[in-house]
Amino acid sequence: MRFIFKTDYDQDIRLLKHGGHAFWYGLLLVAVLLAPVAVDDYYIGQLTQLAIFAMAGLGLMLLVGYTGLVSLGHAAFMGIGAYTEAVLLERGVPFLISLPVSAGLAAAVGIVVGLPALRLAGIYLAIATLAFAIIIEEVLARWESVTHGFTGMVVEPISVFGYELSEGADFYYLSVGLLILIVLMSLNLLRSPTGRAMVAIRDSEIAAQSTGIHVAKYKTIAFAISAGITGLAGALWAHKLGFLSPESFTVLQSIELLVLVVVGGVGSIHGAIFGAVFVVALPQLLAVGKGYLPTNVADAPGLEAGVFGLVLVLFILLEPMGIYGRWVKIRTYFSLFPLYKKASFKRQKTYLKSERLR
Amino acid sequence: MLQFVQLVLNGSSIGCIYALVALGFVLIYKATEVVNFAQGELMMFGAFFAYTLITLFGFSYWIGAAGAILGMMAFGYLLDRVVLRPVLGQPAFAMIMLTIGIGYVSRSVAGLVPGWGTAAYAIDTPFSAEGLPLLTTAETSLVISEQNLSIIGATVLFCAVLFAFFRYTRIGVAMQATSQNQLAAYYMGIPVKSVFSLIWAISAGVAAAAGVLLAPITLIDTNMGFIGLKAFPAAVLGGFGSIPGAIVGGLTIGIIESLAGFYLPQGFKDIAAYIVLLAVLVLRPEGLFGQATRKKV
């Protein structure tokens, strides 16, 4: 068991708490950087997709896991980011400008959507974001002069100072680099007063208000940051897809992002990454597993969605902290061996936790 | 003018379906504070049960409909007993995700059951789709089909039965007590957990009724549950905790959709409900019929 001897207050907020952290994350970084040398192009494509989904999931995680606001419409922010990127590139705006503008526009829309959030609580907010997402989906389909509607639009390749970055390893490095940047930004945000305020709002809005946190302001900030990150992921996703149509950004996509967050582990940055691994790997695993199933089951069109839902249900029933929660339990088991107690992670039940009687 | 009335009539029949689905949301939310995102899928299962009994087994429409409703009540009861009770008392977000997951699994399972599959099916009903003239003038006439009439009539019937149930039966009053304050109800000797399961049973039964009524209009397929997404605005419009509100909300959404489909450009029909929803939430966050709540510390 490791015991950290604290001699300095800065140790509490240091990103790398001890040498083990530095070693393992360093190793991960090296593995990520060397991946294009070691594995096939196909898997690089999958890893790129993983990085993009992890980014979108991270955006949603900041909102759901750290501010406690549920959004059922985050695919709409992805859609806004993706279409802004495609439309700007079509008009000849350079990539280095179009990418931040896409994220910025998504963030601005996030503020507009977040404004009702100041008045709404719980389920009403979730349904408001759902309504917003459905309206955006319809706008993307109908605003044909800009988005080309259901005919779809081709996304121009990325070119930075004459270098093409939309393919293979180059695009992989771009996505992963941005993901690392966003992860670091989120970590920093969460140890800043803004992040602490968000967490306080999640845990108890009333307590947060009593300690002098401007709840409305921080909710809006959380919405803007979350939408901005998801919009950025959307812009990259546009390049990964290469061809945009409104069907890529439906309510089901929003729910997939929420599942990513839940399965990965609500309330942890790791959770967003683990969740993205789950979302990207599940279809692959299913494709392998289908060989062992009877054909009428394996060929059923709803199988993937069904397994998706089943995993979600099982996680909520058996492991509400997600993959990351399971990992923490395993790690604690070994670091405390043989003194680990199941009760240390026991779920607290709160009866009569009513939203109506506030 | 007559055309306007006609549109309102057409809208109110689909509105009744929304109202029944919204009613299911509201019943569960009022009692257990769970928002059931799988309500549409319960409706889908109800319709498939009816299809199995009527078309596959050859029972009459009435027996099939009653069987579907009873079967779904049992299904709803078991669903609560087996899946939802273990997570009782968890945060609302976990419950939302759980019901979303149940919805996914339900759609997939319906596609896998032998005889159901992913095609669209119809059931034979004693109601014709032809219009009965109500009022005839020189140029045009006001018509309503037997199907639509059956939907409206059944909705009125269900509301009356539910109203009487909650008002006059012992268990109905116990349910009202539970929805007002779980702990107090528990202290009065009401078996709160069983009441929850019963509420789920009733809600699933109402959903099955909606499915059976909707079947002749949209056909039965595994994705018919997405109509639940339309019932959300209906429930929110009515305040999400109010049963009459759900009915009025459902009718309003149905009528608005029907009018928007005719008077507004293409595309507005599908999103009119959500625009109204957002407007209501911004102007009156607690819904049209909701009670204003004050924050207590």
Side-chain angles (χ1 to χ4, degrees):
Chain A
M1 186 181 168
R2 189 191 305 273
F3 186 81
I4 302 171
F5 183 58
K6 286 189 178 149
T7 52
D8 187 3
Y9 287 123
D10 281 348
Q11 271 178 299
D12 285 330
I13 55 167
R14 203 165 281 168
L15 286 182
L16 298 169
K17 297 272 189 271
H18 51 76
H21 270 174
F23 175 73
W24 288 110
Y25 287 117
L27 207 62
L28 181 66
L29 186 66
V30 170
V32 163
L33 288 180
L34 290 182
V37 187
V39 297
D40 262 1
D41 273 357
Y42 174 73
Y43 290 104
I44 290 303
Q46 294 288 306
L47 284 174
T48 314
Q49 191 180 340
L50 195 157
I52 294 170
F53 272 62
M55 204 187 294
L58 199 57
L60 188 57
M61 185 67 85
L62 287 177
L63 194 67
V64 175
Y66 287 101
T67 322
L69 302 171
V70 181
S71 163
L72 284 171
H74 250 54
F77 295 121
M78 265 185 108
I80 290 170
Y83 269 97
T84 314
E85 172 79 4
V87 169
L88 286 181
L89 286 184
E90 196 183 39
R91 310 268 144 105
V93 178
F95 175 74
L96 286 182
I97 296 173
S98 72
L99 193 69
V101 169
S102 310
L105 188 68
V109 177
I111 292 178
V112 175
V113 181
L115 285 179
L118 314 177
R119 299 186 63 186
L120 302 176
I123 185 59
Y124 289 106
L125 175 64
I127 292 174
T129 51
L130 179 75
F132 157 78
I134 292 174
I135 291 173
I136 289 287
E137 195 189 324
E138 197 67 24
V139 169
L140 291 181
R142 300 281 171 188
W143 195 9
E144 290 184 356
S145 56
V146 175
T147 66
H148 304 286
F150 282 112
T151 25
M153 68 189 295
V154 178
V155 185
E156 315 238 331
I158 307 171
S159 106
V160 180
F161 304 121
Y163 292 102
E164 290 267 328
L165 290 178
S166 328
E167 293 287 321
D170 296 330
F171 188 52
Y172 168 76
Y173 281 126
L174 177 71
S175 308
V176 168
L178 280 172
L179 174 65
I180 293 173
L181 210 66
I182 296 287
V183 167
L184 288 177
M185 195 206 86
S186 307
L187 286 172
N188 269 334
L189 175 76
L190 289 173
R191 53 180 191 164
S192 74
T194 309
R196 300 285 199 229
M198 282 158 53
V199 173
I201 292 172
R202 173 193 71 186
D203 290 342
S204 164
E205 217 170 281
I206 293 170
Q209 212 167 14
S210 316
T211 43
I213 290 167
H214 196 312
V215 173
K217 180 178 142 197
Y218 284 105
K219 274 187 177 176
T220 317
I221 289 178
F223 244 102
I225 294 175
S226 168
I229 294 176
T230 312
L232 184 68
L236 290 175
W237 187 228
H239 288 291
K240 182 80 179 80
L241 287 174
F243 180 80
L244 290 181
S245 79
E247 287 124 23
S248 318
F249 306 102
T250 57
V251 173
L252 289 179
Q253 181 77 40
S254 304
I255 291 176
E256 188 172 302
L257 283 179
L258 267 181
V259 173
L260 183 160
V261 166
V262 171
V263 170
V266 178
S268 63
I269 302 277
H270 292 83
I273 316 275
F274 284 134
V277 173
F278 164 74
V279 166
V280 174
L282 183 72
Q284 310 283 332
L285 291 178
L286 270 182
V288 175
K290 266 182 187 174
Y292 301 99
L293 287 171
T295 39
N296 62 333
V297 175
D299 292 342
L303 183 70
E304 193 179 315
V307 173
F308 205 65
L310 194 64
V311 172
L312 174 65
V313 169
L314 290 178
F315 261 100
I316 293 206
L317 290 181
L318 306 175
E319 186 54 273
M321 295 314 292
I323 300 175
Y324 182 64
R326 177 48 57 185
W327 159 242
V328 168
K329 280 175 198 175
I330 293 171
R331 196 182 59 191
T332 317
Y333 178 83
F334 282 107
S335 72
L336 293 181
F337 188 82
L339 296 170
Y340 178 78
K341 285 200 177 66
K342 242 184 169 172
S344 26
F345 289 102
K346 192 148 174 58
R347 254 190 286 180
Q348 298 286 315
K349 286 207 172 189
T350 49
Y351 291 103
L352 199 78
K353 184 170 182 177
S354 176
E355 285 188 356
R356 290 190 300 235
L357 295 172
R358 286 200 298 184
Chain B
M1 186 57 213
L2 212 51
Q3 189 181 36
F4 180 80
V5 177
Q6 179 70 55
L7 287 170
V8 168
L9 262 183
N10 293 350
S12 44
S13 63
I14 187 76
C16 281
I17 300 285
Y18 295 153
L20 283 177
V21 179
L23 192 63
F25 284 131
V26 168
L27 284 175
I28 290 179
Y29 181 74
K30 242 177 110 72
T32 67
E33 298 225 349
V34 174
V35 180
N36 179 19
F37 274 76
Q39 192 70 22
E41 275 67 32
L42 291 179
M43 185 191 84
M44 181 260 300
F45 266 141
F48 266 109
F49 277 14
Y51 164 76
T52 314
L53 288 174
I54 295 167
T55 308
L56 297 183
F57 292 167
F59 287 108
S60 81
Y61 176 78
W62 300 105
I63 295 177
I69 292 172
L70 288 177
M72 279 313 290
M73 286 180 79
F75 181 81
Y77 189 93
L78 285 178
L79 189 68
D80 179 65
R81 185 65 198 83
V82 177
V83 184
L84 285 138
R85 198 174 289 177
V87 274
L88 198 66
Q90 292 302 310
F93 173 62
M95 298 303 245
I96 291 180
M97 292 312 291
L98 186 61
T99 54
I100 287 177
I102 294 171
Y104 265 93
V105 175
S106 310
R107 275 199 296 280
S108 172
V109 165
L112 291 173
V113 171
W116 290 12
T118 43
Y121 306 97
I123 51 176
D124 294 327
T125 64
F127 311 111
S128 74
E130 274 179 42
L132 301 170
L134 288 180
L135 191 72
T136 316
T137 60
E139 320 92 62
T140 170
S141 64
L142 192 62
V143 294
I144 182 164
S145 69
E146 280 185 14
Q147 272 174 9
N148 289 356
L149 212 54
S150 78
I151 292 175
I152 295 174
T155 308
V156 172
L157 184 72
F158 271 106
C159 293
V161 168
L162 279 177
F163 177 80
F165 175 75
F166 282 115
R167 193 66 180 271
Y168 298 114
T169 64
R170 233 175 124 75
I171 184 77
V173 175
M175 283 174 179
Q176 281 196 43
T178 311
S179 77
Q180 283 169 8
N181 191 326
Q182 287 170 18
L183 211 55
Y186 184 72
Y187 290 154
M188 295 298 118
I190 293 170
V192 172
K193 287 180 178 174
S194 320
V195 164
F196 282 4
S197 300
L198 275 180
I199 284 278
W200 271 85
I202 294 176
S203 178
V206 173
V212 174
L213 292 171
L214 186 63
I217 299 181
T218 61
L219 299 182
I220 301 170
D221 69 275
T222 49
N223 286 331
M224 76 190 287
F226 285 117
I227 203 170
L229 291 180
K230 284 272 175 62
F232 271 123
V236 172
L237 215 55
F240 228 98
S242 147
I243 291 176
I247 307 291
V248 176
L251 284 174
T252 315
I253 295 291
I255 291 170
I256 286 173
E257 246 186 28
S258 161
L259 293 177
F262 188 80
Y263 291 113
L264 292 177
Q266 213 190 359
F268 272 99
K269 183 175 188 291
D270 293 327
I271 57 169
Y274 300 104
I275 294 175
V276 171
L277 168 72
L278 281 182
V280 167
L281 281 180
V282 170
L283 299 175
R284 226 184 119 78
E286 67 279 358
L288 291 179
F289 291 78
Q291 299 156 339
T293 47
R294 231 178 303 125
K295 205 174 256 185
K296 289 184 197 159
V297 184

